[in-house]
C-alpha cells in the first residue's frame, strides 16, 4: 500500500484479486486481517481525510411588525454616569423601547463620554430610531458643551437634582452586577471583569419584554 501511494482498500483488494500485481504473496483476506489488527492506514487518513460537513445554520432573525415603529421613531433617552465597584460606566435607557446600555469608560472627560454616546446613538440609528431629546443630570452638562450640535436637545434637571429614570436604571444595573460578582468564586476581581459584567447585565435585561415598552410581547433587543 505504501509503494502504491496509499490507494483505497477496495482498490488494493481489486488489484490483488485481478492479478495486476505480479508475484504478490498477499491475499485480500490478509488485508482484512491487517486492518483488523493495526487499524486503518495512518498516512492515508492524514492525507485524504477531509473536514466533516458542518451543521447547517439557520437565520432565525425576526423583524417586529412595522406598526410598532410608525409613531415611535422619535425617542427620549436618559443618560447618566455611574461607578460600579471599581469601574466607571455611562448608562442609558429610553422611554420607548426601554433599551438599556451600559458602556465602560476610563474617565468622565469629554472624549470618553462622546465615544460612549456615539456607540449608543449609532445603535438607535441602525434600528431606525432618532434621538430627539436627551435628559440628564446637570452635572452632565459640562462635558457636553462641545457636543450639542451632534447630540440634539439636552434637557437637564434642576440644580442639585437628579434624573429619576436614569437613577433607577443605575440602581438596577448595579444590583445585577453585584449579583454576578457574588456568584464568582473570588473575593477581588479586576476592573476588566467588572466592565464585562456591566455590559452583560444590560444586554441580558434587554432580552426580556418590558411592561412599559412599545410592546409587551417583543423584547427591547428584538425591537431595537
Amino acid at each position: 500500500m505504501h509503494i502504491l501511494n496509499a490507494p483505497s482498500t477496495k482498490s488494493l483488494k481489486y488489484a490483488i484479486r485481478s492479478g495486476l500485481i505480479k508475484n504478490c504473496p498477499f491475499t485480500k483476506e490478509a488485508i482484512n486481517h491487517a486492518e483488523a489488527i493495526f487499524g486503518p492506514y495512518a498516512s492515508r487518513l492524514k492525507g485524504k481525510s477531509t473536514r466533516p460537513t458542518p451543521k447547517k445554520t439557520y437565520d432565525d432573525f425576526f423583524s417586529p411588525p412595522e406598526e410598532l415603529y410608525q409613531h415611535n421613531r422619535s425617542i427620549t433617552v436618559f443618560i447618566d454616569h455611574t461607578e460600579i465597584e471599581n469601574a466607571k460606566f455611562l448608562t442609558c435607557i429610553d422611554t420607548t423601547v426601554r433599551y438599556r446600555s451600559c458602556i465602560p469608560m476610563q474617565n468622565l472627560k469629554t472624549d470618553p463620554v462622546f465615544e460612549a454616546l456615539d456607540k449608543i446613538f449609532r445603535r438607535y440609528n441602525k434600528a431606525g430610531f432618532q434621538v430627539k431629546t436627551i435628559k440628564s443630570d446637570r452635572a452632565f452638562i459640562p462635558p457636553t458643551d462641545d457636543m450639542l450640535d451632534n447630540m440634539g436637545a439636552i434637557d437637564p434637571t434642576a440644580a442639585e437634582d437628579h434624573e429619576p429614570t436614569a437613577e433607577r436604571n443605575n440602581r438596577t444595573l448595579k444590583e445585577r452586577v453585584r449579583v454576578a460578582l457574588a456568584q464568582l468564586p473570588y473575593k477581588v476581581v479586576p476592573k476588566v471583569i467588572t466592565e464585562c459584567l456591566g455590559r452583560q447585565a444590560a444586554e441580558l435585561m434587554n432580552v426580556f419584554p418590558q411592561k412599559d415598552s412599545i410592546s409587551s410581547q417583543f423584547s427591547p433587543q428584538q425591537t431595537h
Side-chain angles (χ1 to χ4, degrees):
M1 185 176 287
H2 180 71
I3 295 174
L4 295 176
N5 199 19
S8 66
T9 302
K10 183 178 179 180
S11 298
L12 183 60
K13 289 180 180 180
Y14 175 79
I16 293 175
R17 186 173 63 251
S18 59
L20 296 178
I21 306 175
K22 302 299 182 182
N23 301 321
C24 180
F26 303 109
T27 63
K28 64 177 184 179
E29 287 76 13
I31 297 176
N32 293 334
H33 294 160
E35 281 202 337
I37 295 172
F38 301 106
Y41 187 49
S43 299
R44 185 173 62 193
L45 289 177
K46 294 178 180 179
K48 294 186 177 181
S49 296
T50 58
R51 179 179 175 223
T53 304
K55 293 183 179 179
K56 186 177 181 180
T57 58
Y58 297 92
D59 186 5
D60 58 352
F61 176 77
F62 177 80
S63 180
E66 183 63 27
E67 289 76 11
L68 289 176
Y69 302 100
Q70 288 181 353
H71 304 290
N72 297 289
R73 292 296 184 183
S74 300
I75 62 174
T76 299
V77 297
F78 299 82
I79 58 176
D80 197 3
H81 43 68
T82 186
E83 186 169 346
I84 305 176
E85 299 299 327
N86 54 352
K88 295 180 176 62
F89 297 91
L90 177 72
T91 62
C92 176
I93 188 172
D94 64 89
T95 55
T96 304
V97 184
R98 305 295 294 179
Y99 187 86
R100 301 175 190 266
S101 300
C102 187
I103 310 298
M105 297 191 301
Q106 296 299 320
N107 53 63
L108 303 180
K109 295 182 180 179
T110 301
D111 291 342
V113 171
F114 184 76
E115 291 177 3
L117 287 174
D118 185 61
K119 293 179 181 178
I120 295 173
F121 293 165
R122 282 178 182 273
R123 185 67 185 267
Y124 280 109
N125 293 336
K126 184 178 180 180
F129 296 100
Q130 185 177 6
V131 177
K132 286 294 186 181
T133 307
I134 302 172
K135 294 192 176 184
S136 66
D137 295 347
R138 187 163 292 275
F140 207 85
I141 293 301
T144 60
D145 286 340
D146 299 331
M147 311 176 195
L148 294 177
D149 294 337
N150 298 322
M151 292 174 54
I154 298 180
D155 184 11
T157 59
E160 299 183 0
D161 198 3
H162 296 283
E163 176 53 57
T165 303
E167 292 294 329
R168 176 57 188 168
N169 182 43
N170 289 347
R171 186 162 62 251
T172 302
L173 290 172
K174 285 181 179 181
E175 292 172 354
R176 298 300 178 95
V177 173
R178 287 167 182 160
V179 169
L181 288 173
Q183 293 174 338
L184 297 177
Y186 312 109
K187 293 183 178 180
V188 180
V189 297
K191 179 181 177 182
V192 64
I193 298 297
T194 307
E195 292 176 347
C196 291
L197 292 176
R199 287 194 299 263
Q200 184 187 58
E203 291 172 359
L204 293 179
M205 293 182 70
N206 291 329
V207 172
F208 299 95
Q210 304 292 321
K211 62 180 181 180
D212 297 330
S213 179
I214 58 176
S215 173
S216 60
Q217 303 297 324
F218 303 108
S219 67
Q221 188 182 64
Q222 291 177 307
T223 55
H224 197 273

